[in-house]
Amino acid sequence: MIEKVKLENILFLDIETVPEHEHYDMLDEESQLLYDLKTQYQRKDGITAGEFYERAGIWAEFGKIVCLSAGFFTFKNDIRHFRVTSFCGDEQKILKDFSNLLINHFNQPQHIMCGHNAKEFDFPFIARRMVINGLPIPPKLNLFGKKPWEVPHLDTMELWKFGDYKSFTSLKLLTKILGIPSPKGDIDGSMVGHVYHVEKDIDRIVTYCEKDVVAVAQVLLRFRREDLLVDDEIIHV
């Protein structure tokens, strides 16, 4: 039962990813060919690989992480807070800092990670980029040899599916129907690449990412039938 999991044992997270290069033409010839093959079934007829390159950030082979935000609950004297922090900028440093967070503060058997559609996207993307960057995969992300019930991952989209494997529900839709303040601000996921490569406004991306982390925590609170977070309970560190 989700109600039996202690909130302070959950690390909520979200990542923002972009194409590794600003333009398709910046890929070497072999990488362009491989991207063409990778995306051939996703592209509509008449859309070239170059025109489709703005979507490259969704694949770990052609994208990179530019922001990783994490949040966790603390309780002191019956006062609840939700602390949110972000790692941004150089991808290798993002991954190292996040790995240190897991190893030093969320390394116990009862600790789990939670995100929205994170089992399909965020968790494997982080692990793959760690491999690409030559970094060790922390135990909470290394699933080799683990049985399904041993995997320390929680996914709010999976909770909402209730066993319906063909259903996809966005975080924005889920917050809407559950009466949670929308996590979205002045940008959406399709704009992150432009904001990063062209506008070079990482702070705007961090704000967007942190709002998603808070939204995921709010969704889980609704599943547990607990009071939603209010602004005074959210601390950005």
Side-chain angles (χ1 to χ4, degrees):
M1 297 282 293
I2 191 63
E3 293 86 353
K4 293 184 178 180
V5 179
K6 290 185 177 181
L7 286 175
E8 56 264 45
N9 288 335
I10 305 174
L11 183 67
F12 299 85
L13 63 88
D14 183 62
I15 62 174
E16 298 303 329
T17 65
V18 301
E20 191 161 11
H21 300 285
E22 183 175 353
H23 302 295
Y24 174 77
D25 293 341
M26 297 173 71
L27 296 174
D28 60 51
E29 186 176 343
E30 184 179 14
S31 295
Q32 289 183 3
L33 176 60
L34 291 169
Y35 183 75
D36 191 350
L37 293 171
K38 177 77 173 180
T39 63
Q40 60 182 326
Y41 298 113
Q42 283 76 31
R43 288 183 278 119
K44 296 180 179 178
D45 291 342
I47 302 296
T48 68
E51 293 169 331
F52 200 69
Y53 186 66
E54 63 181 17
R55 297 288 307 280
I58 67 173
W59 290 287
E61 300 89 346
F62 297 98
K64 64 179 180 180
I65 299 169
V66 296
C67 180
L68 189 157
S69 297
F72 55 94
F73 284 93
T74 61
F75 295 88
K76 187 175 182 180
N77 299 326
D78 294 327
I79 298 176
R80 182 181 71 172
H81 283 119
F82 187 71
R83 298 180 181 273
V84 186
T85 190
S86 292
F87 310 108
C88 61
D90 175 73
E91 185 184 51
Q92 190 169 89
K93 187 176 187 305
I94 291 172
L95 296 173
K96 286 181 178 179
D97 289 345
F98 178 63
S99 183
N100 288 335
L101 173 67
L102 290 180
I103 293 171
N104 294 326
H105 300 287
F106 281 87
N107 60 357
Q108 298 303 310
Q110 69 270 24
H111 289 149
I112 59 178
M113 298 190 301
C114 179
H116 188 79
N117 196 32
K119 288 187 177 182
E120 287 289 326
F121 184 70
D122 303 72
F123 301 151
F125 199 107
I126 295 169
R128 289 165 184 159
R129 293 306 298 179
M130 284 183 169
V131 173
I132 290 171
N133 280 275
L135 301 174
I137 302 176
K140 292 297 181 184
L141 283 169
N142 194 343
L143 306 186
F144 181 77
K146 285 188 172 69
K147 299 177 176 63
W149 55 88
E150 296 173 333
V151 176
H153 297 166
L154 186 62
D155 194 320
T156 50
M157 192 175 80
E158 187 177 81
L159 291 176
W160 182 250
K161 285 182 176 181
F162 290 98
D164 180 0
Y165 289 102
K166 66 181 180 298
S167 175
F168 174 88
T169 305
S170 70
L171 182 59
K172 185 175 183 179
L173 173 56
L174 198 53
T175 55
K176 173 64 177 178
I177 61 177
L178 294 180
I180 297 168
S182 174
K184 303 307 178 185
D186 61 335
I187 62 174
D188 59 41
S190 66
M191 300 166 60
V192 171
H194 179 84
V195 174
Y196 178 80
H197 283 299
V198 179
E199 298 181 15
K200 303 187 185 307
D201 192 348
I202 190 66
D203 291 339
R204 193 176 172 197
I205 295 172
V206 169
T207 298
Y208 170 72
C209 194
E210 290 187 351
K211 285 183 178 180
D212 272 0
V213 170
V214 173
V216 173
Q218 300 278 49
V219 168
L220 191 67
L221 289 174
R222 283 299 309 270
F223 271 101
R224 294 163 60 101
R225 301 179 306 283
E226 297 185 28
D227 292 338
L228 295 178
L229 290 163
V230 296
D231 289 343
D232 289 345
E233 293 179 299
I234 303 171
I235 300 174
H236 297 268
V237 296

